[in-house]
Amino acid sequence: MAMAMAMAGDAVPEQEEEGMIYFRVENTKFQSPGKEGVYDWYAVYDDDELSRKDKEGFLEPVFGRLPKRQYMSACVGLGSYIYVIGGLEVETLYSPSGRNIYSDVYRIDTRCPLEGWKQAPSLIKPRAHPHAFVVDGKIYVLAAMWNSNDPWAEVFDPCQGKWSPLPMDFSSFPLPHAICGHAVRYDSNGNLQQLMAVGDISQALYSYDFGTQKWTEADKEFGYRRGVSAFVDNIMYCFHDGEVHAYDLTKLKWFPKPVSGFEGQNVLPSKGEDFSWTPDSDLVHVGNGVLCLLWSFQPQYENITLEIYCTKFSVSMEPGDSPGECIPVASIKSFKYYKVKGLTLENCVVTSLPAKNQRFGKQNRKRTKSVQELEEKEKEHGQEL
């Protein structure tokens, strides 16, 4: 991911407590022969004692791997569940005979990780590199690489247990094959009004009206500051080249200066010197107005494979120098550092697991550890569970 953008409020607009953060790392290099999955999943706990690490200090995965190698898949958090959506068979990415693209969907209950990944209802069409997010308890999936068939977007209602096409009137312009960010706006009565999506290649901001069911080009000059998403109070936040930028979704314009408040605290990656550079990163809203930026760094020495940094912050609008001017100012909540075994940080999701339930997570972690110890003892005696 070249950059990260947050349109805060995604998936947790009514949540009082902060959600639980999980992130996944591509692990192909460290995969044993015959093992499935492409990604390992890790958790970010407020209480560091809940994090399980090996003897070398590497963070250990919290879930088993998927039964399929769903490369270039999307993932979202819905309630206590994590969904992994679409993707393709990694071995067929450059295959001359064609790519094997999946419509498969899997989910795991983060409260019961030992139960593993379960298959959920499949997408209407196979999708590689889709963009997915949660709004009002439903999963929205937009776009697809290498598959231009309808529908361009579909919605999953967990109450009905099925996917349905997003109702769309004919668009006078082609919709992009890749989306890298989104936002949702509500009317004064709290009803869904607009869905906004950022084209990865076009660098334009598109708007979908839930009333007319039509797409329009809201801002053709949105520009290069784009990425993955969340949203808060009609303000979009974008991390790019060592800075956090803010975009007003009502006025459809960027704030003239980056978000301040990060200066001198060493909680963001350093700004590139000779070119625009942003590490693999993701920016999400975890609830209660708090944003979380995760980014990775791959050191040049052998012992540590991938360093993961996590900065939690909130943003307030402070009066500027000119009359009526507002300046976005960040307040740092926490800063954490982890090391994991993997190749790249892919993305992170937030589940609405209240903080009061994290004690259950600690019990579950102990249970997982005891099962691992039992497995090791069984192997010593040449047995299998």
Side-chain angles (χ1 to χ4, degrees):
M1 286 167 284
M3 55 221 52
M5 172 175 55
M7 294 156 266
D10 180 20
V12 284
E14 300 177 355
Q15 194 172 305
E16 296 181 357
E17 300 286 349
E18 292 182 22
M20 186 69 188
I21 303 170
Y22 297 89
F23 66 92
R24 63 177 184 172
V25 170
E26 185 182 345
N27 60 32
T28 310
K29 181 178 179 181
F30 303 95
Q31 203 161 280
S32 301
K35 277 200 171 184
E36 299 299 334
V38 178
Y39 306 105
D40 276 330
W41 284 89
Y42 301 89
V44 175
Y45 293 99
D46 289 332
D47 184 355
D48 288 334
E49 291 185 1
L50 296 176
S51 299
R52 191 173 70 249
K53 300 178 181 179
D54 64 15
K55 295 179 180 179
E56 297 178 333
F58 286 94
L59 205 61
E60 293 188 348
V62 292
F63 310 135
R65 292 175 180 149
L66 277 170
K68 274 193 172 183
R69 296 163 62 85
Q70 291 181 246
Y71 186 62
M72 297 181 70
S73 54
C75 56
V76 297
L78 176 58
S80 64
Y81 290 91
I82 293 176
Y83 286 76
V84 175
I85 302 165
L88 58 81
E89 186 178 358
V90 63
E91 290 84 1
T92 67
L93 179 59
Y94 302 107
S95 173
S97 59
R99 301 175 181 88
N100 184 16
I101 303 176
Y102 296 131
S103 61
D104 300 74
V105 178
Y106 286 88
R107 74 174 190 176
I108 192 169
D109 190 340
T110 58
R111 300 168 301 179
C112 310
L114 291 179
E115 294 182 2
W117 296 91
K118 308 293 184 181
Q119 193 150 17
S122 297
L123 294 163
I124 297 174
K125 77 170 188 179
R127 295 177 184 268
H129 193 50
H131 182 77
F133 55 93
V134 172
V135 175
D136 292 349
K138 297 180 181 180
I139 301 175
Y140 288 72
V141 178
L142 314 180
M145 297 292 290
W146 308 300
N147 188 350
S148 58
N149 297 331
D150 289 335
W152 185 79
E154 50 188 293
V155 184
F156 178 69
D157 186 339
C159 296
Q160 297 183 1
K162 68 176 184 178
W163 294 88
S164 302
L166 178 68
M168 288 170 45
D169 198 354
F170 176 76
S171 176
S172 60
F173 54 89
L175 291 169
H177 294 293
I179 295 294
C180 60
H182 77 278
V184 171
R185 300 184 65 199
Y186 296 83
D187 61 21
S188 58
N189 296 319
N191 299 315
L192 278 175
Q193 182 179 25
Q194 282 181 303
L195 163 61
M196 309 185 85
V198 182
D200 192 16
I201 305 300
S202 66
Q203 301 185 18
L205 180 66
Y206 303 88
S207 176
Y208 171 82
D209 188 290
F210 282 91
T212 63
Q213 301 180 353
K214 290 184 177 181
W215 284 95
T216 58
E217 292 178 291
D219 186 357
K220 296 180 181 180
E221 307 298 327
F222 183 84
Y224 63 89
R225 290 172 288 191
R226 64 201 192 282
V228 288
S229 63
F231 58 97
V232 163
D233 297 336
N234 291 325
I235 301 296
M236 177 190 301
Y237 298 96
C238 169
F239 168 68
H240 175 66
D241 195 21
E243 297 175 330
V244 176
H245 299 268
Y247 183 88
D248 190 320
L249 292 165
T250 303
K251 298 179 180 179
L252 298 178
K253 61 185 295 185
W254 291 97
F255 283 77
K257 296 181 180 180
V259 177
S260 63
F262 298 103
E263 300 85 356
Q265 302 201 51
N266 295 322
V267 294
L268 295 180
S270 59
K271 190 176 178 64
E273 296 180 358
D274 299 325
F275 57 93
S276 179
W277 172 83
T278 299
D280 292 329
S281 55
D282 206 352
L283 182 60
V284 293
H285 177 222
V286 298
N288 200 25
V290 177
L291 301 174
C292 179
L293 173 67
L294 270 79
W295 78 93
S296 64
F297 174 71
Q298 197 162 33
Q300 299 299 316
Y301 45 95
E302 295 181 359
N303 293 333
I304 297 178
T305 304
L306 199 63
E307 296 178 347
I308 305 293
Y309 298 87
C310 174
T311 299
K312 282 187 177 182
F313 63 96
S314 60
V315 179
S316 60
M317 293 296 166
E318 305 293 339
D321 297 330
S322 304
E325 180 187 12
C326 290
I327 299 175
V329 179
S331 174
I332 310 303
K333 303 297 183 182
S334 65
F335 176 74
K336 295 180 181 294
Y337 156 78
Y338 308 95
K339 56 180 182 178
V340 300
K341 293 182 179 179
L343 297 177
T344 57
L345 170 68
E346 288 298 314
N347 37 31
C348 60
V349 301
V350 179
T351 62
S352 55
L353 180 63
K356 62 183 179 181
N357 287 340
Q358 288 190 5
R359 185 176 300 172
F360 175 83
K362 185 174 182 179
Q363 293 172 344
N364 207 29
R365 180 178 67 87
K366 291 181 177 179
R367 181 184 175 209
T368 303
K369 185 176 181 180
S370 65
V371 170
Q372 289 176 336
E373 291 173 349
L374 178 59
E375 290 176 339
E376 291 174 357
K377 290 180 180 179
E378 292 287 345
K379 290 178 180 178
E380 290 177 1
H381 293 84
Q383 300 174 357
E384 293 184 359
L385 285 176

